Each structure stands twice: as C-alpha cells, then as structure tokens.
C-alpha cells in the first residue's frame, strides 16, 4: 500500500504528479490519462523455501503496468526494502521509458524482499528458481508477454537461472531463451548489455553537451571534458557511467558516495582502480589517492557541475533539494528525485535529465538481446567477414593511389562490424534521437519547462496514440 503521510508522497504518487504535469501541458483527455497511469495487473506471491534445514517464506511481486505493447518489460529487484508501491511505480516508469526511447514494449517490474548478501549462491539459486516457477505459472513470465531483466540485487547469474527454469517448464517453446534478458553472453545474452545503462548515461550527457542552448540554460559551457562530477552509487550503472565519462570523455569524478562513506578527490578519482579496490575490500574506506568521510548523503550537496544519483529512489527530496549545488542532475537510478524536490530544483534553475531517459540504456540493449534471441543468431554473424573483405579491397585500392596506410588506420578501416559495434551504435542512435525529441518538445511547447515534463509528454502522447489506434478510446 502507498506509504503516504501528510507531508510525503509515495513513489507512485510522486511519479503520477510528474506525469500529470505533462498531461496538463498537452491538454490530454483526463480519462485517457487515468487509463495510462493505472497499473494493469499485479501479482503478489508468498512461497516457502527450505534454507539450512529451516523453512523461510519469501514475499515478492511482479507488476505489469501496461500491455499496450508486448512483452511487458522490466527488471527484478532483490532488496530487503522493496515493497508493492515501489514495484508499481517502477513498472510505470518502464512503460514511459520504453515509449520515450521507442522500444516497443509495455512496462513491468518485479521485486523480492530479500537481502542477497545473507544467502549463499546455492540458496539464492533455489529461491530464484522457486520465484520463477511462481511467475511462470501465474502468467507473469514468457518471451511473448512478460520478460524480466536484472535490477538492483540481481544480475546475469539470476537471469540464467530464470532462463533455465523456464526452459525446463516449457521446452517446446522455441523462443524460451528470450523469456528474460541480461543473461550471460555465453547463455543467450548480448555483448554490451552489462555496460548498457552506464553507456547510455554517457551518451545522454554527450548529446546534452552538443546542445549549446541546453548547456547555457544549465549555467555551463563547453563539453564534458573537465566537468566535475559527483556519483552516488558505484554499482553496475554508476561504475560504468563514471568509468566512461572519466576515461573517454575527460570528466573528473571528484566524489563517489557509497554505502559506507564518501571518497573525495578534487583532481578526479580513478574509477577502475576504485572498482578493483571495492571488489577486494568490500568498502571504499582506505582507498588511496582520495579523502574518506563517513557522511555520505551530505556529499550530494557538494559543489560540482554534474550530480549522477545512481543508487536508490528518493535521494533528493524536499529536505535537501534547496542545498543541491550541482548545475545538472543526470538521474541514472530510478526515481532518485521526488516530486517536491523536482519542483524546488526547477525553481532553482538546476537542470534535471530524467531517469526515464537517462537510464534507458539497459532496456534498449535488452530489446536488442530479445531480438537476437528471437532471431536465433548473433548480430553481425552473417556480414562481418563479407564487410572485412570488401573493406580490404577498398583499402588496397586506396593504397595503390595514396601509398601505404599506417597499420592502425588500415585495421580500423578493414574491421568488419561485430555485435558490440552494432549494439553501441544502436544504443547511441536511440539515446541521441530521444534527447532531440525531448529538446524539441521543450523548445516548442511553452507550457513545458523541464526535460522531465518533455519526456513524459512524449511518452504519454505515444501511449495515448496506441490506445486510440487499438480502439480503447
Ligand atoms: N532494470 C532495468 C531498468 O530499470 C532494465 C530493464 C530491462 O532491461 O528490461 O531499466
């Protein structure tokens, strides 16, 4: 049930308030808006699993927010804090996210109340397989209708257990491997899925900085190079985003906020080294070349150019939004800024790039993985050698006229496209197009003053159009 108090909106209410702003801006029929916002179906399961000789009962959910496109898509979260409201809100976010980036899926999300760090691998496998049975038997898992993916607390390992359980239940389903995405590459996954959300954050920021008016409105100039970035959460998304932004784009990651504290270095933290340190020590504390402090959330208020919340929802709220000093917030997590905080940030002219756009990289590449699974062939398999031969012929002709090409240039030109090239190209193209669409709305509709409302305008218009097309309204 929604966790509402007089002063605080639940995650669902916060999201719906944001969507309502877009609905008003385009004057959409309120009945269509109600239909779009409603969560289509919700499954709650309670199932027992015997752990170390004792039976434990686990509670989980899978919410399907919309089925205007199928399958409904979205991750499965393992967390001791997960609840129904959060799952419903995140299922809705998936619907809007898919619409914004033109991924032809509905929105869904799953969650299980569990602290994965308290269980060993075999126990987690048992629990995941049992959860999968519940989802499949109740119609909440299938390549055609509902396709989960990793989220907080789950990863490739859990996805391959889900795929294997489904395969044993429905061996006659020729597309069984497409029942879940985010699988390991050797088990039907796709190259580039693990890095996809972080890579998408990078592409989103690259595109933002190509739009000089948007950069100026955020009281900045130039490109990503040299920008001071604060990252909250060095999980899969935060790590990849921080790594690419610093190593490829020349940004300085001046602070990293983690569970146990904050690391600060005004000259920039080396993310790969920190990541390796965290794998070894399970903590950021003691990392050389940076100052450690225990006060982690206060660091959100640190002076910087770009703040990337890549951890949990509700991190920037009415209580701290007045103190945020970043010029730009790129929401890599789902729902890190509450509705009230969003209003405050807008009044303070802090630009926010919304989650439904910024972190869409994961589901975009999940879409590619699903297509790869349905076509039963790796992208690039047919054309790679053919392209390479053609390119070799072209470079030979070039060399006949221009003399020998440098070895690096030659291998670059002759390289035949492979899966990772295609995935990155498709992801970049999608992120760039979606930004341009959002920016177009922002520039053309005077009632739209921020990127979040622009994103929801696009999403709501596309979903409403498909409702009209299928004759619901
Ligand atoms: N859990 C990710 C998200 O929130 C990925 C979902 C997916 O790939 O289906 O976007």
């Amino acid at each position: 049930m929604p966790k509402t108090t007089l002063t605080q909106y639940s995650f669902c209410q916060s999201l719906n308030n944001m969507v309502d702003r877009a609905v008003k801006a385009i004057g959409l029929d309120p009945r269509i808006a109600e239909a779009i916002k409603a969560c289509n179906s919700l499954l709650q399961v309670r199932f027992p699993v015997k752990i170390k000789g004792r039976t434990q009962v686990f509670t989980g959910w899978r919410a399907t927010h919309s089925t205007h496109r199928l399958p409904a898509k979205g991750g499965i979260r393992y967390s001791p804090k997960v609840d129904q409201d959060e799952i419903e809100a995140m299922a809705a976010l998936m619907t809007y996210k898919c619409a914004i980036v033109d991924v032809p899926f509905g929105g869904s999300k799953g969650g299980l109340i569990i602290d994965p760090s308290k269980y060993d691998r075999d126990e987690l496998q048992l629990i995941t397989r049992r959860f999968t049975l519940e989802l499949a038997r109740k119609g909440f898992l299938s390549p055609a209708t509902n396709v989960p993916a990793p989220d907080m607390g789950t990863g490739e390992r859990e996805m391959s257990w889900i795929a294997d359980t489904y395969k044993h239940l429905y061996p006659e389903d020729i597309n069984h491997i497409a029942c879940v995405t985010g699988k390991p590459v050797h088990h039907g996954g796709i190259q580039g899925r693990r890095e996809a959300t972080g890579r998408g954050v990078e592409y989103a920021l690259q595109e933002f900085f190509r739009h000089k008016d948007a950069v100026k409105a955020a009281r900045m100039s130039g490109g990503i190079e040299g920008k001071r970035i604060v990252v909250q959460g060095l999980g899969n998304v935060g790590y990849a985003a921080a790594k690419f932004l610093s190593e490829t784009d020349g940004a300085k990651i001046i602070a990293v906020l983690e569970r146990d504290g904050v690391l600060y270095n005004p000259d920039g933290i080396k993310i790969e080294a920190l990541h390796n340190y965290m794998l070894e020590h399970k903590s950021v504390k003691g990392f050389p070349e940076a100052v450690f402090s225990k006060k982690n959330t206060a660091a959100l208020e640190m002076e910087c150019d770009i703040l990337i919340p890549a951890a949990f929802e509700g991190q920037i709220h009415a209580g701290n939004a007045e103190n945020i000093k970043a010029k730009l917030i790129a929401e890599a997590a789902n729902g890190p800024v509450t509705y009230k905080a969003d209003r405050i940030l807008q009044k303070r002219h802090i630009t926010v790039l919304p989650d439904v756009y910024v972190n869409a990289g994961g589901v975009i590449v999940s879409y590619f993985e699903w297509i790869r699974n349905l076509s039963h062939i790796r992208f690039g398999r047919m054309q790679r050698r053919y392209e390479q031969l053609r390119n070799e012929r072209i470079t030979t002709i070039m060399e006949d006229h221009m003399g020998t090409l440098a070895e690096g240039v030659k291998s670059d030109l002759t390289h035949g496209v492979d899966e990772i090239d295609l995935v990155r190209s498709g992801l970049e193209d999608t992120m760039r197009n979606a930004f341009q669409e959002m920016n177009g709305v922002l520039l053309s509709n005077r009632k739209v003053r921020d990127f979040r409302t622009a994103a929801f305008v696009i999403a709501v218009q596309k979903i409403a159009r498909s409702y009209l097309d299928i004759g619901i309204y």
Side-chain angles (χ1 to χ4, degrees):
M1 279 288 106
K3 293 174 285 190
T4 322
T5 65
L6 284 176
T7 54
Q8 207 181 328
Y9 293 121
S10 77
F11 194 172
C12 273
Q13 289 164 332
S14 185
L15 172 62
N16 283 338
N17 287 343
M18 291 169 176
V19 176
D20 283 339
R21 253 173 22 208
V23 167
K24 267 198 206 123
I26 52 171
L28 185 74
D29 180 339
R31 286 166 307 168
I32 301 186
E34 277 316 301
I36 290 174
K37 286 188 291 180
C39 180
N40 191 259
S41 55
L42 176 77
L43 171 74
Q44 182 182 53
V45 292
R46 288 216 171 90
F47 57 89
V49 182
K50 213 168 193 178
I51 306 281
K52 295 189 181 74
R54 285 186 51 203
T55 300
Q56 282 186 31
V57 177
F58 292 89
T59 303
W61 295 269
R62 182 90 181 152
T64 300
H65 175 259
S66 98
T67 53
H68 72 291
R69 297 263 190 277
L70 282 176
K73 192 80 189 75
I76 290 187
R77 175 169 288 202
Y78 281 5
S79 155
K81 290 206 200 105
V82 82
D83 65 28
Q84 183 182 319
D85 181 77
E86 180 184 2
I87 295 302
E88 284 190 42
M90 288 194 300
L93 277 176
M94 287 307 304
T95 299
Y96 302 123
K97 197 183 293 185
C98 291
I100 290 157
V101 294
D102 272 334
V103 165
F105 291 153
S108 187
K109 196 79 169 199
L112 189 68
I113 304 180
I114 184 172
D115 179 350
S117 68
K118 301 246 156 65
Y119 297 86
D120 66 28
R121 185 183 180 281
D122 292 347
E123 291 162 351
L124 282 170
Q125 176 163 185
L126 213 60
I127 298 162
T128 303
R129 285 184 182 272
R130 183 59 211 267
F131 190 27
T132 306
L133 284 179
E134 298 287 336
L135 295 176
R137 293 244 163 83
K138 277 144 192 150
F140 281 76
L141 175 69
S142 115
T145 58
N146 199 315
V147 178
D151 201 85
M152 198 184 291
T154 59
E156 291 171 11
R157 186 181 65 170
E158 285 72 15
M159 300 308 116
S160 60
W161 292 334
I162 294 175
D164 190 60
T165 310
Y166 183 87
K167 182 176 97 181
H168 283 96
L169 274 176
Y170 304 103
E172 72 288 354
D173 181 347
I174 194 170
N175 294 319
H176 57 76
I177 200 77
C179 75
V180 67
T181 59
K183 300 176 291 289
V185 174
H186 55 269
H187 195 138
I190 194 167
Q191 302 273 354
R193 175 61 184 85
R194 197 187 299 166
E195 63 166 45
T197 313
R199 186 68 79 178
V201 175
E202 182 198 21
Y203 291 151
L205 284 169
Q206 285 178 350
E207 188 58 18
F208 172 84
F209 279 98
R210 282 189 196 103
H211 292 257
K212 297 299 160 218
D213 290 352
V215 176
K216 201 170 160 210
R219 293 165 292 140
M220 287 188 282
S221 60
I224 301 179
E225 196 172 351
K227 293 287 179 294
R228 296 159 309 149
I229 299 183
V230 170
V231 180
Q232 182 191 35
L234 214 66
N236 180 38
V237 179
Y239 157 62
K243 179 178 162 70
F244 299 141
L245 287 165
S246 54
E247 291 178 7
T248 317
D249 305 279
K252 276 187 198 162
I253 311 297
I254 61 164
V256 172
L257 290 70
E258 258 294 323
R259 233 173 297 241
D260 51 343
V262 186
L263 285 178
Y264 177 70
N265 181 348
D267 298 324
I269 296 168
K270 292 195 182 80
I271 295 301
E272 194 54 36
L274 174 57
H275 182 66
N276 291 336
Y277 183 89
M278 284 171 70
L279 287 178
E280 198 185 325
H281 297 85
K282 311 275 173 257
S283 166
V284 293
K285 198 172 169 190
F287 178 69
E289 298 174 39
V291 178
F292 175 80
S293 148
K294 271 196 164 164
K295 289 190 197 144
N296 57 3
T297 46
L300 288 171
E301 300 165 18
M302 195 178 275
E303 182 84 44
C304 66
D305 298 306
I306 307 168
L307 172 60
I308 304 184
F312 310 101
E313 59 264 23
Q315 296 300 295
I316 300 167
H317 43 77
N320 63 4
E322 289 289 359
N323 307 329
I324 301 291
K325 291 173 198 72
K327 296 176 180 117
L328 172 68
I329 298 177
E331 297 183 336
N334 286 313
V337 174
T338 66
Y339 174 70
K340 284 186 181 170
D342 198 46
R343 309 238 65 181
I344 297 170
L345 296 171
Q346 208 182 324
K347 275 197 201 113
R348 297 186 54 226
H349 303 289
I350 293 174
T351 301
V352 179
L353 291 178
D355 48 4
V356 277
Y357 165 64
V358 173
N359 72 29
V363 77
I364 293 167
V365 178
S366 276
Y367 171 44
F368 301 156
E369 180 176 333
W370 184 75
I371 292 172
R372 176 204 210 266
N373 293 156
L374 294 189
S375 54
H376 298 264
I377 188 166
R378 163 168 51 82
F379 289 117
R381 182 166 173 179
M382 306 286 277
Q383 61 268 52
R384 197 159 91 94
R385 290 292 164 210
Y386 174 79
E387 274 188 7
Q388 192 180 331
L389 276 176
R390 249 182 90 89
N391 294 344
E392 274 166 9
R393 268 190 228 133
I394 294 169
T395 46
T396 309
I397 295 169
M398 282 168 77
E399 284 188 323
D400 285 349
H401 286 81
M402 299 160 56
T404 311
L405 294 166
E407 204 33 62
V409 176
K410 193 169 175 180
S411 60
D412 254 12
L413 290 176
T414 52
H415 170 82
V417 75
D418 52 30
E419 191 168 78
I420 189 72
D421 302 320
L422 291 166
V423 164
R424 288 191 184 142
S425 148
L427 175 59
E428 181 172 1
D429 187 57
T430 310
M431 292 304 291
R432 292 184 71 168
N433 286 345
F435 185 91
Q436 286 160 21
E437 236 184 297
M438 283 191 318
N439 206 37
V441 170
L442 202 56
L443 297 176
S444 62
N445 184 333
R446 278 192 303 119
K447 290 187 185 149
V448 177
R449 303 231 172 84
D450 60 305
F451 282 107
R452 192 190 310 279
T453 308
F456 283 129
V457 161
I458 294 166
V460 160
Q461 271 172 335
K462 286 182 186 170
I463 302 162
R465 164 107 41 88
S466 88
Y467 275 25
L468 290 170
D469 289 346
I470 54 180
I472 295 180
Y473 283 94

